[in-house]
Amino acid sequence: MGGVPIPAMHAASALGASLEAAHRALFDDDRPLGPPPFEIPLRTVCGVVPGPLPAPPPSLRAFDGRQARIALAAAEPLVGAVARAATRYGADRVGLVVGSSTGGVRATERALQEADFEPPLPAWFDYDRMHAMHGTLEFLRRVLGVRGPATVVSTACSSSGKALGTAKRWIEAGVADAVVAGGVDSLCALTLRGFAALGVLSGRPCRPFSAERDGINLGEAAAFVLLDPGADAPVRLLGVGESSDAHHMSAPDPSGAGAAAAMRAALDDAGIEPGAVGYVNAHGTGTTQNDDAEARAVVEVLGPTVPVSSTKAKTGHTLGAAGALEAVLTLLCLQDGRYPPSLGAEPIDGAIECAVARAPGPIDPPVAISNSFAFGGSNVAVVLGRAP
Amino acid sequence: MTIECYVRGAAAFEGDARTLRPAILPPMLRRRTSPLSRAVAEVLGRLADATGADLGRLPIVHATSHGEIAVTVALLAAVLDPDGDVSPTRFHNSVHNTACGYVSIACGNRAGHTTLAAGPDTAAMALVEAAARLATGDGDVLVVCADEPVPPPLPPRGPAAVTAAAFHLAAARPGARLVLEGPAAPDPRDARAGTPAEAAAALTHAITSRRPGPVVLSSLGPFDGDGGHVYRAALSFDPTDPP
């Protein structure tokens, strides 16, 4: 089996900061969604990372905020594995690629509110360290001890799926010998009210692929993997494929052509045939348009029988972190050999022709595709596998 | 890290982007775009004119340190007012990849784009990512780096005026040879631009004036006080290449 071994991974989401608990939760009927973690005039539920969240060490306190704490909860467990890679390859040969759509904009929201939009902003506020993409990046570089090439990928909801693609490419091109890749996004008023303005925010727990679905729930998360070609690990990143819809800024191409192109490119990158895929972890947001277009694309590329589920009914749509979070959840399922059911999908929409999973089943063959689609028509598909 | 590529051509814009009418954006799309997105479309259009790059087919590596920060600040005013009227268009125009989203729609480009942000290393990482795509893919790659001033009441960051620079990169000659190196210790003699978009614009000028030599790709940044590092590019020209 080709691809890049993944010797270490971690995630923090509404399912908690324990991989074992998160994996178990994918197979139960609980809906761990709750009210937003701040006052906002909206009726909705969110996937909130349960507290207490870890505080940054004193040397990194200037970066502190919800974004940094969620990032820390998912990144800290990788520190030992990153240090071993740095010893083997050299500190500046380990890279970092972080997907994020909003960075720490919640800190700016709080600062602007506190100052009533007039300078000076509060003394506690640090735009570069708390809000900007480079703040999230620098914080994670220092937490992880990464000295090599480092960047944020910010393509809205496909950010951290594309981050996995950049990381794999950097290794193949010799830019780095090992790369930490993943993503982080924290809940903020901007995305909650923005998706409400688009008319796609559900007031109830979301139900991807259901005939009764009425939109998305937002969530927050961080998830990271270490890609290390020299490591021995049972699970691997096999391929990443990207495409653009070239259709509309915020609505998917209803034909599913862009989604299908990303999946085909990912299979090409992995060097495998469609028949080698045993499970699809769908983007599956719960909007009518996304689920229709995605189901069409899955059937076109993989046929009507490969099992499909969305885990967003469990975590909410974690935006820039979704690609990495869902990659980690899918890797946990591959390790265990079973795919999870698509919670809330019953009764499944008759227009959805792909095989939405009503119950758990074996991932056979042990290869999965995880999809992420974004504003700007920015699509990515990630192929993951377990050594047989 | 050392990785190299060849530059078929480059284009830059610096100034008041509000009145730009990029040839590649149909009026209906142009009316919805910010000055920052227009500047991205403008330099990509000029680049395509100069090198014949196919904007409908080549993948685009887009890089912006602060992204659509003017749209974002305006949106936050509505978002933070319980009675505020939040514009859905403004919302989807606030994402970092807004500009290349519009360009992909305008040009029918389905090849895939990415948008990077790496603070002072934003231009460097865009070129590294593009060079990595050239090394692992099968065709030319476009790079566009752009930023706008960060508006008040946020602290002043970014260039003084909208700045954008675009590059048409290839895996082999013809073109200027660009060898990317870093991260390395900063040198007090390094001529560092104030922002990554200005660093990218400086590289554009070195390429179009066929001025060989080292170019510092990392701009000054907020974390320089903690030591920091720089990425550099060595630029060289083959006299037998057409200008």
Side-chain angles (χ1 to χ4, degrees):
Chain A
M1 179 180 263
V4 189
I6 299 175
M9 60 179 169
H10 205 76
S13 69
L15 304 177
S18 144
L19 290 187
E20 293 70 26
H23 178 234
R24 219 167 31 243
L26 294 179
F27 294 87
D28 70 33
D29 290 332
D30 288 348
R31 308 295 300 258
L33 303 172
F38 43 81
E39 284 277 313
I40 188 159
L42 282 176
R43 196 176 60 89
T44 190
V45 292
C46 299
V48 181
V49 181
L53 294 169
S59 63
L60 298 178
R61 199 150 287 160
F63 295 84
D64 197 10
R66 204 167 175 82
Q67 176 83 349
R69 290 188 178 212
I70 293 171
L72 185 59
E76 200 155 42
L78 270 69
V79 168
V82 172
R84 285 191 291 279
T87 303
R88 191 175 328 138
Y89 301 117
D92 66 354
R93 295 297 300 162
V94 181
L96 172 64
V97 187
V98 180
S100 186
S101 70
T102 55
V105 72
R106 180 63 196 149
T108 294
E109 293 176 353
R110 289 172 49 225
L112 291 174
Q113 251 169 338
E114 214 174 297
D116 205 13
F117 272 83
E118 293 295 329
L121 296 180
W124 60 262
F125 176 65
D126 185 327
Y127 169 76
D128 290 298
R129 288 171 178 77
M130 294 175 179
H131 171 162
M133 296 299 175
H134 49 263
T136 296
L137 187 67
E138 183 69 10
F139 178 72
L140 283 164
R141 279 184 69 234
R142 295 192 196 178
V143 165
L144 290 162
V146 167
R147 299 291 193 79
T151 189
V152 167
V153 175
S154 189
T155 54
C157 304
S158 61
S159 299
S160 57
K162 288 195 180 242
L164 294 169
T166 288
K168 180 171 180 283
R169 192 155 43 234
W170 282 8
I171 289 171
E172 288 167 354
V175 169
D177 290 326
V179 180
V180 179
V184 53
D185 257 334
S186 42
L187 282 162
C188 55
L190 185 144
T191 48
L192 280 161
R193 294 211 57 198
F195 280 107
L198 280 169
V200 297
L201 195 67
S202 176
R204 308 174 299 161
C206 67
R207 300 176 59 185
F209 301 115
S210 169
E212 296 167 4
R213 70 189 184 277
D214 67 352
I216 69 172
N217 304 139
L218 294 191
E220 60 188 357
F224 297 99
V225 300
L226 175 64
L227 300 176
D228 182 349
D232 189 25
V235 286
R236 288 168 179 252
L237 173 61
L238 299 181
V240 181
E242 300 177 46
S243 75
S244 294
D245 273 4
H247 173 73
H248 188 272
M249 275 302 288
S250 62
D253 179 348
S255 76
M263 283 188 273
R264 279 198 200 94
L267 295 175
D268 275 356
D269 187 42
I272 60 173
E273 296 296 319
V277 176
Y279 167 61
V280 178
N281 180 281
H283 186 52
T285 57
T287 67
T288 309
Q289 285 181 307
N290 173 79
D291 297 1
D292 280 354
E294 184 173 13
R296 199 162 288 134
V298 167
V299 171
E300 188 188 314
V301 177
L302 302 172
T305 58
V306 59
V308 179
S309 63
S310 167
T311 47
K312 286 191 171 69
K314 282 285 183 182
T315 64
H317 184 357
T318 61
L319 306 180
L325 172 65
E326 290 164 25
V328 167
L329 296 177
T330 301
L331 289 166
L332 293 170
C333 293
L334 280 165
Q335 282 179 344
D336 177 55
R338 289 185 314 150
Y339 59 79
S342 203
L343 185 64
E346 299 272 21
I348 295 167
D349 186 341
I352 299 285
E353 288 175 359
C354 66
V356 177
R358 293 181 159 85
I363 305 182
D364 181 24
V367 171
I369 286 193
S370 181
N371 289 332
S372 296
F373 312 129
F375 283 175
S378 174
N379 308 309
V380 65
V382 175
V383 184
L384 303 157
R386 187 193 75 224
Chain B
M1 171 229 54
T2 301
I3 191 166
E4 66 173 52
C5 57
Y6 291 81
V7 189
R8 292 265 200 273
F13 170 85
E14 201 167 333
D16 184 354
R18 286 172 299 184
T19 54
L20 278 178
R21 299 168 71 89
I24 67 168
L25 280 187
M28 204 180 72
L29 287 178
R30 188 182 69 229
R31 276 194 293 275
R32 291 170 165 253
T33 52
S34 67
L36 179 63
S37 286
R38 287 178 197 182
V40 166
E42 177 70 21
V43 290
L44 285 172
R46 289 185 195 177
L47 182 68
D49 286 344
T51 71
D54 185 350
L55 297 180
R57 197 181 55 81
L58 296 183
I60 299 172
V61 176
H62 168 226
T64 171
S65 180
H66 303 280
E68 295 281 350
I69 192 70
V71 172
T72 301
V73 170
L75 178 65
L76 285 173
V79 158
L80 298 174
D81 174 355
D83 303 316
D85 191 9
V86 177
S87 152
T89 301
R90 199 173 259 174
F91 176 53
H92 69 56
N93 279 1
S94 73
V95 297
H96 251 61
N97 60 320
T98 297
C100 50
Y102 276 108
V103 168
S104 69
I105 294 167
C107 301
N109 187 324
R110 295 181 168 81
H113 62 251
T114 191
T115 301
L116 307 182
D121 295 333
T122 298
M125 289 300 108
L127 293 166
V128 167
E129 167 71 3
R133 282 177 188 253
L134 290 167
T136 57
D138 53 6
D140 295 1
V141 176
L142 304 176
V143 170
V144 58
C145 303
D147 262 300
E148 64 184 356
V150 174
L154 292 180
R157 296 286 187 275
V162 172
T163 302
F167 307 89
H168 178 172
L169 302 183
R173 288 181 56 209
R177 182 168 180 241
L178 192 64
V179 182
L180 307 164
E181 284 178 321
D187 183 320
R189 290 164 297 182
D190 282 338
R192 289 167 75 174
T195 70
E198 289 164 299
L203 178 61
T204 301
H205 300 316
I207 290 164
T208 52
S209 57
R210 294 177 70 84
R211 195 173 65 239
V215 179
V216 182
L217 297 174
S218 300
S219 62
L220 297 165
F223 311 121
D224 288 341
D226 298 306
H229 59 258
V230 295
Y231 287 84
R232 297 188 182 91
L235 186 60
S236 58
F237 297 85
D238 188 310
T240 63
D241 274 351

